[in-house]
Each structure stands twice: as C-alpha cells, then as structure tokens.
Amino acid sequence: MTATMLAGRLDVAKGAFAVEEVPVPTPGPGQVLVEVGAAGVCLSDVHLIQGMLKPLHLRGDKVTLGHEVAGTVHTLGEGVTTAAVGDRVLLQAGETRGGVVLTRGVDYDGGWAEYALATVETLVPIPDELPFEQACFIPDAVSTPWAAITGTGAVRPAEAVGVWGVGGLGAHGVQLLRAVGAHPIVAVDPLPAARERALAFGADAALDPGDPEFAELLRAATRGRPLAAAFDFAGVAPVREQAMATLGEHGRLVLVGLTNQPLTVTNGTLVSYLRQQIRGHYGSEGKDVVDLVDLVRGGRLEFSRSVSGSFPLARAAEAVEALEQKKGNPIRLVLTP
C-alpha cells in the first residue's frame, strides 16, 4: 500500500476543485480505513463546487468531496471488533458527533478518493451480489426519497401522488412510491426523456408542467381525484406553486429539492380550509439505509438502471461537468478509483 492516494479536493475558500495526491489516512480508535470501490456524484457536490452550498462545520478550507461511498474494509483501527478486513460495506452519508450532525464529504473528508476513513458505526454491510456502483448512492439518492415518502410524506397505499422533477432523486422517488403501493403516480417534468424514464420506473402518467392542458391531463390521470401528496424534487419555486394547487383535503406538499427562493402560497384561505400542509424534508436516518439494503437483499428493489455512467476518479471534474450540464439526463454518475 502506497503512502499517498488520489482524492478529489475542494478548496472552499477559493472555490477551486482538483484531484490531488494526498497522504493515505490512518484509522484511529473506533475507525476503519475503507478501500473505495465506487462513489456517487450528487448535485449537492456540484453546488458545493459552485459555492451555492457551504460547509457549516468544516475545520480548515479543504475537504475531500463525496457523501455516497461503498467499498471494502482495508484496515481496522484500535478497538474495532464489529468489522473485519475484507467486509463489503457502504458508508452512511454522515454521523452525529457531540450532538452536531456532520455530513461526509462536506464537514469532513468523504469518498472521492482511493481510501476513506469511517467510524465503525457508519458501516452498513452489503451483500456480495450488490455492486459497489449501485450500493454507493443508496445513502442519499435512494434513502432521501425513501425517507421523504415513508416518513415526512407518510404516503399510504392507494394514495394518489405526484412527483415533480424526475432526476436523480425523483426517478428513485417514482420507483419507491410504486414499491409502497401509491396509486396513481403522476410524474411531472419538462424534459421528454425524463418523462419516458418516469414511465419506465413505474409512473402511471408523465406530464409536461408547461402543457396548457396540464390540469385536465392530471384529472384524467387520477380519474378526478386530487393528490394526497406532492413531492418537489426539483427545488424550483414555480414547481411548488403548481404542486400545491393539485392537492386535496389534508394534502401534503413535501419539499425535498433545495432552493433559496421564497415559497408563495397563492390561496392561503383554501390551504387552511382544506387543512393542507407544507412539509420540509432533508436527508434520511441511518435505519432508512439499512432497511433499503435489506430490501435489495430480499429482491424487492434493484438499482442497475440508475447508473447512468462511470468515470475514473482522475476524471472527477468531467463527471461534475456532465452532471451540471445534465449530459444524457443522468440519474447517477459514479466515480471508480
């Protein structure tokens, strides 16, 4: 094992990203060193590089990006007894330290590297049949919509639901809504390729939000029923207004996509009369990731269609550009050291 490794590093102060040679970290007590098999490229990583997102708890100016990570346990730190060298694992996207929630690849070094440190509590064993390229993004691209659907949105079987934005999160949202029995599932996206993908992932209808007949098409898709829940995976202010207008009594608008733009409620009296709710959502809990791995292990879910492309770690900047420009309308791009 060499003393140095490649890592995709962001200089937060300068807004500069580069793949650099850095020392291989040494695991301390309660930690393991993981040889990275694959790491996901998320829109959050793009926003960090652009400066739209800022780490809240980073010590220093530089951080190795990557909060979606899977690989093999390489070295055990002192006192580690619940993991073994050679274990195939994915890493939770963050952890709580001293009462503060920290995000991997944001507040401390992540997995855009040949090796990554992890506390043993953040390891989730994965089955041999689950490739690293599919496992790595479960802790965000899959677990975030899962938690939004089963937790924040509290979707029940046979409820009519809408999904606005069928990108990396929304595509999995459609798949997971079908898994929990929502019906009908109406996907909404301005891109024809995204609408086609939504239908392939299990949506019952896929609509263009700019269609002049949108309201009529939605009513036809739901057979006249208003939506019980609407999920904004796009993080776009006009989307939220459109989604809010589709809700019925006790309807829930779940805000998953992030934006700093204000939310406008056009008819506040109607919202109150129908007792509707607007619910913010962020991330997931550790148990969500464990549950999803169990569902994959049991054959209930699989994510081979979600890997839109793979880049070697040395070409991480190209992967970031491809995602930023939505080349090929990707669900998830992955880096492989």
Side-chain angles (χ1 to χ4, degrees):
M1 180 176 176
T2 61
T4 62
M5 65 177 185
L6 290 179
R9 302 275 285 170
L10 174 64
D11 188 320
V12 177
K14 297 178 180 178
F17 173 78
V19 177
E20 306 172 346
E21 286 275 351
V22 300
V24 175
T26 300
Q31 294 182 319
V32 301
L33 184 68
V34 173
E35 184 175 3
V36 176
V41 182
C42 177
L43 195 58
S44 297
D45 299 309
V46 176
H47 290 164
L48 282 164
I49 294 171
Q50 293 173 334
M52 294 172 60
L53 293 177
K54 297 287 187 181
L56 294 177
H57 306 290
L58 177 65
R59 296 180 179 179
D61 292 330
K62 282 193 170 184
V63 65
T64 299
L65 296 179
H67 56 275
E68 299 180 337
V69 192
T72 306
V73 174
H74 184 277
T75 308
L76 305 180
E78 181 183 349
V80 173
T81 59
T82 55
V85 172
D87 285 352
R88 301 178 78 254
V89 296
L90 59 76
L91 309 184
Q92 296 280 7
E95 59 190 283
T96 300
R97 300 181 191 171
V100 178
V101 177
L102 304 180
T103 301
R104 189 184 308 277
V106 179
D107 300 307
Y108 62 98
D109 286 341
W112 286 13
E114 295 179 80
Y115 297 90
L117 280 182
T119 56
V120 70
E121 293 82 7
T122 63
L123 303 182
V124 178
I126 59 175
D128 292 342
E129 61 271 20
L130 178 58
F132 293 133
E133 290 83 357
Q134 297 174 34
C136 66
F137 52 76
I138 290 176
D140 182 14
V142 183
S143 68
T144 293
W146 175 258
I149 290 164
T150 61
T152 305
V155 173
R156 295 180 292 276
E159 284 192 318
V161 295
V163 172
W164 272 256
V166 193
L169 295 180
H172 292 126
V174 169
Q175 184 179 4
L176 296 169
L177 282 163
R178 191 171 184 89
V180 301
H183 181 268
I185 303 165
V186 181
V188 184
D189 199 292
L191 298 177
R195 296 196 296 273
E196 292 175 10
R197 179 167 65 198
L199 294 172
F201 272 58
D204 298 291
L207 306 180
D208 182 346
D211 192 317
E213 298 181 358
F214 175 84
E216 290 76 10
L217 292 170
L218 179 64
R219 279 194 291 272
T222 65
R223 299 174 65 183
R225 296 164 57 196
L227 298 183
F231 293 85
D232 169 27
F233 289 107
V236 178
V239 159
R240 298 175 168 189
E241 292 188 54
Q242 184 180 55
M244 193 76 194
T246 67
L247 296 175
E249 189 173 12
H250 300 292
R252 294 92 66 196
L253 172 62
V254 182
L255 309 181
V256 186
L258 303 178
T259 178
N260 59 1
Q261 298 300 307
L263 170 65
T264 301
V265 178
T266 302
N267 191 338
T269 300
L270 183 63
V271 171
S272 296
Y273 178 73
L274 295 178
R275 288 156 290 173
Q276 296 169 340
Q277 297 180 7
I278 300 172
R279 302 179 180 181
H281 180 82
Y282 186 82
S284 61
E285 301 292 334
K287 186 179 184 302
D288 295 313
V289 176
V290 174
D291 288 346
L292 286 163
V293 171
D294 283 343
L295 289 171
V296 172
R297 184 181 286 109
R300 298 298 193 270
L301 296 171
E302 71 92 23
F303 302 112
S304 59
R305 296 176 297 176
S306 300
V307 182
S308 303
S310 178
F311 291 76
L313 175 61
R315 294 169 52 199
E318 293 179 45
V320 170
E321 180 184 8
L323 181 59
E324 180 182 3
Q325 298 182 6
K326 297 184 179 181
K327 294 180 180 178
N329 193 24
I331 298 176
R332 257 310 179 261
L333 301 175
V334 298
L335 301 177
T336 53

